[in-house]
Amino acid sequence: MQRQTLRLLSSTASIVFSVLATQASAQMFNSVQLHAAAPGQSGGMLGVAALSTPEYQGSAKNRKLIVPVVDYQWANGWFAGGSNGLGYNFSGDPKFHYGVRMTGDIGRKEKRAKLLRGLGDIDAKPEIGAFFTFNPGADTYFASSVRYGAGNDNKGMLFDLSAGFTESWNRNLSAGASLGASYANDNYMQSFFGISQVQSARSSHKIYTPKAGLKNTYVSAFVSYMINDRTSLSLIVTSDRLAGDAKSSPLSEKTRTSSIVAAAAYHF
């Protein structure tokens, strides 16, 4: 029972992390964690989350949202949902997950903040990628992923590394933490942190051409409580820190931002 409860709590955490990431575009789809069902079985979860998260990467202001969350994985290796995207896990070993997937970058609207006026919108784009996750135990993971296709020219690429753990205090209450970092190529950095000559002429910003490199690091902590065998409540706090040329961008009002998520989920 403790292992089942821990799996459900890990599932809740991964879903809520993805909700936060999807809205903040900071850690979006940074890893694949297949905890929605036990190995060799199908299962999923439905939920709702309330969050406070930056208006865009580097924004000093937060916005508040209420969003649905959904995730499902099949016994044959396919999975789909807000936490992991749409993909296929080739591994039958619960300690190793590796495969391919399709995700999405939500882009950025210039109307979201005054600092973005004149820069134009970055349209939402599909991404293709691959992932590898190592689970040495039911309560720890090390993950990596690569995603390609974001940005104005569809050539933005992100490489993500992360690690995390969950500690079960009793059969109902668990807590955990994760940390990670993202590397971005020139195309991604230019789309989200750069200022082109055209954008400079339309805005008050000087031309800025960031280079490929470390984009951000983050650390998150969560606590989850199982109301019953299928229903959980979770609270997650994340601190994200921009790095390299992303930190020096004229669009980055704050180097370090924080987000809070409260979620309720039903597992089936």
Side-chain angles (χ1 to χ4, degrees):
M1 179 64 190
Q2 183 176 5
R3 180 174 292 272
Q4 172 71 1
T5 300
L6 185 59
R7 179 181 64 79
L8 295 180
L9 291 170
S10 297
S11 175
T12 302
S14 66
I15 293 293
V16 178
F17 276 129
S18 73
V19 172
L20 170 62
T22 301
Q23 300 302 325
S25 265
Q27 296 96 251
M28 186 176 182
F29 300 121
N30 65 326
S31 66
V32 171
Q33 298 178 51
L34 300 176
H35 300 301
Q41 299 181 19
S42 298
M45 63 179 290
L46 294 171
V48 62
L51 57 154
S52 174
T53 187
E55 293 181 333
Y56 66 91
Q57 296 183 71
S59 174
K61 296 182 179 180
N62 277 30
R63 56 176 177 160
K64 296 176 176 61
L65 300 166
I66 296 178
V67 296
V69 292
V70 60
D71 207 51
Y72 195 84
Q73 65 188 67
W74 288 264
N76 61 8
W78 288 96
F79 57 85
S83 65
N84 299 313
L86 172 64
Y88 184 78
N89 173 32
F90 291 98
S91 174
D93 187 340
K95 288 189 175 182
F96 298 94
H97 298 151
Y98 57 89
V100 294
R101 61 173 176 162
M102 177 175 291
T103 56
D105 185 277
I106 62 173
R108 188 183 67 196
K109 299 294 185 181
E110 68 171 334
K111 66 180 181 180
R112 186 167 293 176
K114 290 183 178 180
L115 202 60
L116 302 178
R117 303 293 166 79
L119 302 183
D121 293 342
I122 302 174
D123 294 334
K125 301 289 176 57
E127 300 170 305
I128 57 173
F131 64 91
F132 177 83
T133 304
F134 172 50
N135 304 287
D139 55 351
T140 57
Y141 76 88
F142 300 92
S144 63
S145 71
V146 60
R147 291 167 286 141
Y148 180 82
N152 291 318
D153 58 2
N154 299 336
K155 295 181 179 179
M157 185 187 75
L158 287 172
F159 176 69
D160 304 296
L161 291 172
S162 59
F165 74 94
T166 301
E167 181 67 27
S168 181
W169 293 343
N170 54 50
R171 67 185 304 269
N172 297 106
L173 184 64
S174 288
S178 69
L179 54 85
S182 295
Y183 171 94
N185 69 353
D186 290 336
N187 303 81
Y188 186 98
M189 294 290 279
Q190 183 62 44
S191 291
F192 290 94
F193 297 98
I195 307 294
S196 68
Q197 184 175 358
V198 173
Q199 289 173 322
S200 178
R202 294 176 178 175
S203 67
S204 59
H205 303 299
K206 296 182 180 180
I207 296 174
Y208 183 69
T209 307
K211 301 299 183 182
L214 184 65
K215 179 180 73 74
N216 72 290
T217 59
Y218 72 90
V219 59
S220 296
F222 80 91
V223 59
S224 290
Y225 180 78
M226 297 297 299
I227 299 175
N228 53 47
D229 289 347
R230 293 186 177 274
T231 307
S232 62
L233 299 175
S234 297
L235 178 67
I236 293 181
V237 178
T238 300
S239 177
D240 185 269
R241 183 179 179 85
L242 293 176
D245 285 0
K247 178 177 66 176
S248 302
S249 170
L251 304 179
S252 299
E253 298 176 302
K254 290 183 67 176
T255 298
R256 185 182 295 277
T257 57
S258 60
S259 303
I260 301 175
V261 179
Y266 176 77
H267 308 261
F268 59 93

